[in-house]
């Protein structure tokens, strides 16, 4: 086995980061996606564009502005310092913040599409039965949108696992604190340790393939049921 304790620490940190980021994105992204799917507000376009920015924005650009905002002279940095939380750059908490923002469209957009696909009819039927908005959402919307939640969870987790630019800009390269698998691969290549890089890169390749296979298989299964 070509992996050492530092490699396993990077794998565990990446798994922890991806799990926490996905959980937070589901909590934040669900109401945001519901609003985007239902609203007729003129703000829908600008908000949707902001959510989708990480799809087209270079990771280093997003990482640079987050680093500036969370630094000692940034608005977020001044706020966290005034609250006694210190600075977020080069910490695990900073990685979580950056990952949530960077992976947001991969969670919000599948949820928005799932909510829009439900249509008005189920909601109208629930209203005629005098169901409250909360009852309608939890008893009608969530079960019908379950495939969207599965897709959003898979894509959010996988995209966070594969981060590099944002992670490196915000977290740097601190073993056991901010060094993820992608950064560890970069370190191995930079040190010309190609055997170790192959083990980690091969694992990432296999993981990515399995994620996409599971995603497309679930869609084919759903299509077969319909």
């Amino acid at each position: 086995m070509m992996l050492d304790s530092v490699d396993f620490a990077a794998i565990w940190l990446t798994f922890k980061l991806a799990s926490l980021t996905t959980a937070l994105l589901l909590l934040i992204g669900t109401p945001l996606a519901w609003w985007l799917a239902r609203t007729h507000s003129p703000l829908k376009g600008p908000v949707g564009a902001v959510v989708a920015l990480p799809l087209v924005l270079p990771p280093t650009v997003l990482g640079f502005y987050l680093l500036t905002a969370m630094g000692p002279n940034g608005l977020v940095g001044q706020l966290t310092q005034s609250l006694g939380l210190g600075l977020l750059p080069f910490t695990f908490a900073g990685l979580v913040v950056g990952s949530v923002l960077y992976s947001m469209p991969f969670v919000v957009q599948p949820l928005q599409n799932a909510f829009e696909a439900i249509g008005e009819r189920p909601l109208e039927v629930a209203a005629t039965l005098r169901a409250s908005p909360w009852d309608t959402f939890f008893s009608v919307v969530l079960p019908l949108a379950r495939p969207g939640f599965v897709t959003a969870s898979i894509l959010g987790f996988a995209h966070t696992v594969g981060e590099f630019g944002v992670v490196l800009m915000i977290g740097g390269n601190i073993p056991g604190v901010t060094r993820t698998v992608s950064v560890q691969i970069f370190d191995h290549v930079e040190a010309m340790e190609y055997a170790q890089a192959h083990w980690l890169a091969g694992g990432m390749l296999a993981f990515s393939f399995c994620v996409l296979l599971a995603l497309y298989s679930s869609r084919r299964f759903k299509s077969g049921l319909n």
Side-chain angles (χ1 to χ4, degrees):
M1 188 68 171
M2 299 299 295
L3 301 181
D4 57 20
S5 59
V6 179
D7 294 321
F8 283 113
I11 293 172
W12 168 245
L13 181 70
T14 303
F15 176 80
K16 184 169 66 171
L17 175 64
S19 300
L20 182 56
T21 297
T22 303
L24 290 175
L25 278 172
L26 289 174
L27 289 175
I28 298 170
T30 298
L32 178 57
W34 179 248
W35 181 82
L36 288 170
R38 302 288 299 169
T39 187
H40 298 289
S41 169
L43 293 176
K44 178 177 180 178
V47 172
V50 170
V51 169
L53 263 180
L55 294 174
V56 297
L57 199 64
T60 49
V61 174
L62 179 61
F64 169 72
Y65 282 115
L66 286 176
L67 186 63
T68 303
M70 296 190 297
N73 298 320
L75 292 177
V76 177
Q78 292 178 3
L79 176 62
T80 55
Q81 288 182 98
S82 65
L83 295 174
L85 301 176
L87 295 172
L88 294 178
F90 311 112
T91 66
F92 180 77
L95 284 189
V96 172
V97 173
S99 298
V100 166
L101 294 175
Y102 188 50
S103 296
M104 185 168 290
F106 293 87
V107 172
V108 172
Q109 290 187 351
L111 292 179
Q112 181 182 347
N113 293 335
F115 290 150
E116 290 174 347
I118 293 174
E120 296 291 336
R121 181 63 178 169
L123 305 182
E124 292 172 353
V125 171
T128 61
L129 297 175
R130 297 185 179 181
S132 68
W134 284 107
D135 287 337
T136 300
F137 186 79
F138 285 103
S139 301
V140 178
V141 174
L142 287 186
L144 292 176
R146 186 176 301 166
F149 278 91
V150 173
T151 301
S153 300
I154 292 174
L155 290 179
F157 187 92
H159 189 254
T160 304
V161 167
E163 287 181 41
F164 178 72
V166 171
V167 164
L168 193 60
M169 291 288 289
I170 297 177
N173 189 1
I174 307 173
V177 180
T178 62
R179 183 184 291 175
T180 60
V181 170
S182 57
V183 177
Q184 182 71 358
I185 293 173
F186 177 79
D187 282 351
H188 282 315
V189 173
E190 198 173 38
M192 301 185 70
E193 298 169 347
Y194 295 129
Q196 293 92 326
H198 273 304
W199 277 97
L200 285 177
M204 290 284 285
L205 179 62
F207 170 78
S208 300
F209 175 78
C210 291
V211 164
L212 292 175
L213 182 62
L215 186 61
Y216 285 111
S217 296
S218 65
R219 288 180 176 177
R220 283 183 57 190
F221 179 73
K222 180 188 175 185
S223 300
L225 291 178
N226 295 334

